[in-house]
Amino acid sequence: MKNKRIKLARVECDISQEQLAEKVGVTRQTIGMIEAGNYNPSLRLCIAICTALGKTLNDLFWEEK
Amino acid sequence: MRLLKKVVDERQELELMRNERIGFWVMLWGLLIVIHVELFFNGFNFKLVAGEIFILAIGALIVTVGHLRKGLWSYYTNPSLKSNIRYSLGGALVLSVISSVLRYKKLLGMQEYTIGKLFTFFVMQMVIIFGACFIISTLMSFVTNKRKNNLEEEFDDKNSK
């Protein structure tokens, strides 16, 4: 499932996939795949992404049923 | 200090491991087949495939010890008496059929045979291989379960820091 919230948060912060990737220590492709819903990141990486984007885990990763 | 610094992220590492796992299984089964084919065409001269057998044994030992240390068994079964019996029987049946056929074809050095002798040989092979497989798998499942319980205790509410 696509994670549009990460993309929105990234656009809000005005940073590219490449810049976010550099901040959290992964490749741009990994960020792209997380946003496309093709890769489930580890909790450690989720927290790093949230910290980089100034969001909580709930904001970016919680799925309401 | 590590000699080499990883340049892959967690996703790339997972994908590398996935590829390596497929490669490992292909190599393991390939090696097993190659050993048997070479043995078959070289009159069961084990000296010729000693290197291959050594590599196979080392690889299998590393996997087995690694599994035992982490209290792991397999992807599809848990260590239990039932599965030990089932897999030991399966292994014994396959190996006994193969060795009996080879004996029948006089490839394993049994010069004079009768169907009765062959059947006795087959049954003896079945019993020996089943016994060996069952004892080894039972011992290993005991160790695996013990290790699993130890790891569970180590990280339970009381002991985890």
Side-chain angles (χ1 to χ4, degrees):
Chain A
M1 196 194 298
K2 276 190 180 183
N3 192 329
K4 288 180 182 168
R5 281 170 292 174
I6 295 182
K7 192 170 182 176
L8 278 173
R10 186 170 56 74
V11 172
E12 274 174 24
C13 291
D14 196 26
I15 56 172
S16 65
Q17 282 187 340
E18 191 133 24
Q19 287 165 319
L20 177 60
E22 203 175 318
K23 275 188 177 185
V24 298
V26 296
T27 57
R28 191 196 61 75
Q29 194 190 357
T30 299
I31 297 296
M33 287 177 78
I34 294 169
E35 288 182 358
N38 290 336
Y39 173 63
N40 283 325
S42 67
L43 183 57
R44 199 184 295 250
L45 180 53
C46 291
I47 292 171
I49 291 170
C50 290
T51 308
L53 297 176
K55 299 279 182 185
T56 65
L57 282 169
N58 274 2
D59 292 336
L60 297 185
F61 295 101
W62 187 252
E63 297 282 346
E64 289 291 346
K65 284 186 180 175
Chain B
M1 201 183 87
R2 281 186 183 169
L3 275 176
L4 295 171
K5 192 173 170 275
K6 274 186 195 166
V7 291
V8 290
D9 63 25
E10 60 173 47
R11 177 191 59 81
Q12 291 171 316
E13 193 170 347
L14 273 176
E15 285 177 2
L16 277 171
M17 284 163 77
R18 213 169 285 152
N19 293 338
E20 285 164 0
R21 190 182 69 183
I22 295 168
F24 165 78
W25 285 111
V26 169
M27 279 191 263
L28 188 124
W29 286 107
L31 196 55
L32 204 64
I33 293 166
V34 164
I35 288 171
H36 283 85
V37 170
E38 282 187 28
L39 279 174
F40 189 79
F41 286 110
N42 290 303
F44 293 89
N45 186 350
F46 282 88
K47 279 182 190 168
L48 285 175
V49 286
E52 286 92 328
I53 291 174
F54 179 72
I55 298 292
L56 187 72
I58 293 287
L61 193 70
I62 290 169
V63 173
T64 308
V65 171
H67 279 40
L68 289 177
R69 281 184 63 213
K70 299 288 176 186
L72 297 168
W73 190 246
S74 84
Y75 283 100
Y76 306 105
T77 54
N78 284 316
S80 70
L81 191 69
K82 202 176 154 188
S83 68
N84 289 348
I85 291 174
R86 192 187 303 151
Y87 287 106
S88 302
L89 261 180
L93 187 69
V94 170
L95 287 173
S96 303
V97 167
I98 291 173
S99 56
S100 299
V101 169
L102 292 175
R103 287 250 161 176
Y104 181 74
K105 295 277 182 194
K106 294 186 182 176
L107 289 168
L108 271 180
M110 191 179 178
Q111 294 306 316
E112 288 179 22
Y113 65 88
T114 59
I115 292 299
K117 257 188 183 176
L118 203 63
F119 183 71
T120 313
F121 172 77
F122 173 78
V123 173
M124 273 173 60
Q125 286 276 102
M126 271 288 286
V127 172
I128 292 167
I129 298 171
F130 172 78
C133 290
F134 183 70
I135 290 169
I136 292 169
S137 57
T138 304
L139 275 173
M140 278 176 40
S141 59
F142 173 76
V143 176
T144 303
N145 279 332
K146 200 173 172 198
R147 183 71 188 134
K148 198 175 156 191
N149 291 339
N150 284 348
L151 286 170
E152 273 170 12
E153 271 175 33
E154 194 179 329
F155 296 105
D156 69 1
D157 284 338
K158 284 180 208 159
N159 297 320
S160 56
K161 287 165 193 167

